[in-house]
Amino acid sequence: MLSLRRPARHAVPIKSKVTPARLGLAAALAASALGAVGASLAAATPSVTINVNPSYNASNCTTASLQCPTIQEGIELARTYSNTNLTISIAPGTYVENPVIRSFPSGDTLAIRGSGSSKTIINGSTHTNSSGLTSYSVLWNHQTKTNVIIADLSLTKGISPNGGALYSDGGSVQLYNIEADHNAATGFPGIGGAIVNHSGQMEIFNSTLADNSASKAGGAIYNDGYLVVEESTLYNNFGPYANAVYNTIFGTSYLNFDTVHDPSSTGPGLYNFNTKSNFAVGTTILDNAGCNGSGKGITDSGYNVESDNSCSFGATSKVNSSTINLAPLSYYGGPGPLTAAIDPTSSAFEIVPTGSPCFITNDERYVTRPGITGQNCDAGAYEYSANLVITASSSTITYGTTPTVTPSYSATVVGIGPVTPNLSHLSGLTCSTTATAASAPGTYPTTCSGATDPDYNISYVPGTLTIVPAKLAFLTSPV
């Protein structure tokens, strides 16, 4: 079975549901953000790419031309293939439709790939599609035989009783670089404002679910299957029985390196149905987003940061923290979607030891962990990474003058840009030159070295000291 998943990513083993074959493909996707989906497919199985662009004519939506004007028409064309690795490549634009994935032949693998979460947007407000099918979710996965990959697009404005953005009715689904925002689950049963995973296996990576709501449970996600959420942001979602994730008695959920922020303290962020349900949380920020009933069977995988103490986390986690200091949801660089930044003042900064606790090598934006060389990793979906450049001074002095070298500083935060350097933790810096007061006129290098700072990756720029001859003094006698 196809996987675009990077190896060895789970802090908690996922046991029999993930096979070695599913763990072994596309290690390079962390940098390319699924840019090589087609190239990652197994060579032994034929591959077909269907292109979707509103400018195409429907008459070209054939196996000969492989050009379809709507996503649904692309899906219907894909259904005519068997034992094929299928990619539906969607051009930038806003697509007002509600695609349904249904009845694929066994042996197919389907990748639906946009051009970026800010470029390819599926607006599900109309509840219709070009095949006359009715879907209230923005996207409905209604089949169990095909492994489905959805990547690099946004799902927005869906209104459904189950899963405003995505309802997956069994099967295996993987999401990469997805934004699901302003979706709602209303009426009965009112579950999964963004996503419902019903009985299947779902893995969500490098994605953001924001401003979704459910009238009952799971403002972001309702899970009664197998769920993994990693390097993702669940922000400002709302549901009375769980603002972020509701895990049912049949559910198994794992959260790793995620950021969860709830809009208010009404309702928990995470809800586990009872102690017989499996729900494990590790290296995750829970900002104003606690757990139901003193955790109620939620397992602490370690190194979480929580603004209250409702999850009953253990010794390696930080609880009752008032200094998580999340920045607003925004783009902070990289190919990934919106996320919420932290800085060195955050209690999530550098609390995850390198090695096995920091088992994921990139954050939601594909910034390398740890963000500061030689330091620990950050909890949450965002890894703080900043660079400090120390420049040795350049100057001109007269022969016989004792030279001095002074440093200057410039700092840049990855994904944000230049910032005013904070040197409160800087130590060990020395600056010097090979010249002395007795050195002959000429040019000499100036350098700085030896600095350490847990807040920065440090680099140095040398300077130049120029020594010029002293002016001769002439004595004159009175006439």
Side-chain angles (χ1 to χ4, degrees):
M1 187 179 290
L2 174 71
S3 174
L4 296 181
R5 174 155 161 60
R6 295 190 287 276
R9 295 166 53 98
H10 289 284
V12 179
I14 47 181
K15 303 179 182 177
S16 61
K17 291 206 174 185
V18 174
T19 66
R22 294 196 67 249
L23 291 171
L25 294 177
L29 290 176
S32 65
L34 296 184
V37 168
S40 301
L41 302 176
T45 303
S47 299
V48 171
T49 297
I50 299 167
N51 296 295
V52 172
N53 192 310
S55 65
Y56 293 151
N57 192 299
S59 62
N60 289 328
C61 191
T62 64
T63 56
S65 298
L66 300 173
Q67 295 180 340
C68 300
T70 69
I71 300 168
Q72 187 65 59
E73 287 171 295
I75 292 172
E76 295 304 306
L77 179 59
R79 292 177 61 229
T80 65
Y81 291 87
S82 61
N83 297 308
T84 304
N85 292 319
L86 298 157
T87 298
I88 297 176
S89 181
I90 309 172
T94 298
Y95 296 78
V96 183
E97 56 177 301
N98 297 67
V100 177
I101 305 167
R102 62 191 176 108
S103 304
F104 268 75
S106 180
D108 280 352
T109 294
L110 175 64
I112 298 176
R113 187 186 69 192
S115 301
S117 59
S118 63
K119 297 178 180 179
T120 301
I121 300 166
I122 307 179
N123 180 327
S125 59
T126 62
H127 303 160
T128 60
N129 57 61
S130 57
S131 294
L133 303 168
T134 298
S135 171
Y136 290 94
S137 303
V138 178
L139 184 61
W140 182 14
N141 178 46
H142 185 50
Q143 55 77 47
T144 59
K145 295 180 180 179
T146 300
N147 186 48
V148 177
I149 299 156
I150 304 168
D152 296 323
L153 51 81
S154 289
L155 305 171
T156 188
K157 297 183 180 179
I159 301 176
S160 170
N162 307 279
L166 171 63
Y167 183 84
S168 184
D169 190 13
S172 173
V173 178
Q174 297 169 332
L175 307 180
Y176 293 84
N177 304 327
I178 295 295
E179 285 185 24
D181 65 278
H182 296 92
N183 301 284
T186 62
F188 180 81
I191 56 175
I195 293 172
V196 167
N197 177 40
H198 176 57
S199 302
Q201 176 173 303
M202 180 175 290
E203 298 170 292
I204 302 173
F205 306 119
N206 303 86
S207 296
T208 292
L209 282 57
D211 297 304
N212 304 287
S213 64
S215 59
K216 186 175 182 182
I221 302 171
Y222 182 93
N223 176 56
D224 66 359
Y226 178 86
L227 173 72
V228 174
V229 184
E230 288 182 356
E231 301 165 304
S232 295
T233 301
L234 282 58
Y235 194 94
N236 216 40
N237 301 288
F238 176 75
Y241 288 94
N243 291 324
V245 180
Y246 186 98
N247 190 55
T248 75
I249 190 172
F250 306 107
T252 295
S253 296
Y254 296 107
L255 272 60
N256 294 304
F257 283 104
D258 299 313
T259 297
V260 182
H261 170 79
D262 284 353
S264 68
S265 57
T266 58
L270 308 179
Y271 191 104
N272 196 38
F273 186 81
N274 62 23
T275 56
K276 294 182 180 179
S277 308
N278 297 312
F279 199 154
V281 181
T283 56
T284 288
I285 293 173
L286 297 176
D287 183 38
N288 202 33
C291 300
N292 66 304
S294 297
K296 207 165 188 179
I298 292 179
T299 301
D300 178 16
S301 297
Y303 307 101
N304 296 294
V305 179
E306 185 185 7
S307 56
D308 62 19
N309 192 19
S310 61
C311 296
S312 301
F313 287 146
T316 64
S317 294
K318 293 186 178 181
V319 299
N320 293 320
S321 176
S322 61
T323 57
I324 294 176
N325 298 344
L326 282 182
L329 198 67
S330 186
Y331 288 104
Y332 294 103
L338 298 163
T339 189
I342 64 167
D343 64 22
T345 67
S346 173
S347 53
F349 180 66
E350 294 182 354
I351 73 159
V352 184
T354 54
S356 57
C358 186
F359 64 96
I360 295 178
T361 58
N362 299 281
D363 75 353
E364 182 173 353
R365 306 164 298 148
Y366 299 93
V367 171
T368 300
R369 295 183 189 271
I372 310 299
T373 301
Q375 303 298 319
N376 289 341
C377 301
D378 303 335
Y382 177 97
E383 181 75 13
Y384 180 85
S385 182
N387 302 307
L388 179 68
V389 178
I390 302 176
T391 301
S393 58
S394 295
S395 61
T396 300
I397 62 173
T398 302
Y399 170 77
T401 304
T402 299
T404 59
V405 180
T406 58
S408 61
Y409 307 92
S410 61
T412 303
V413 176
V414 174
I416 294 177
V419 295
T420 301
N422 181 349
L423 306 177
S424 59
H425 297 143
L426 184 71
S427 63
L429 179 65
T430 60
C431 297
S432 61
T433 179
T434 57
T436 67
S439 296
T443 58
Y444 299 85
T446 61
T447 58
C448 295
S449 63
T452 60
D453 193 317
D455 301 343
Y456 295 105
N457 297 305
I458 297 175
S459 60
Y460 302 94
V461 176
T464 301
L465 175 71
T466 302
I467 300 178
V468 298
K471 293 181 180 180
L472 297 176
F474 295 94
L475 298 175
T476 57
S477 304
V479 178

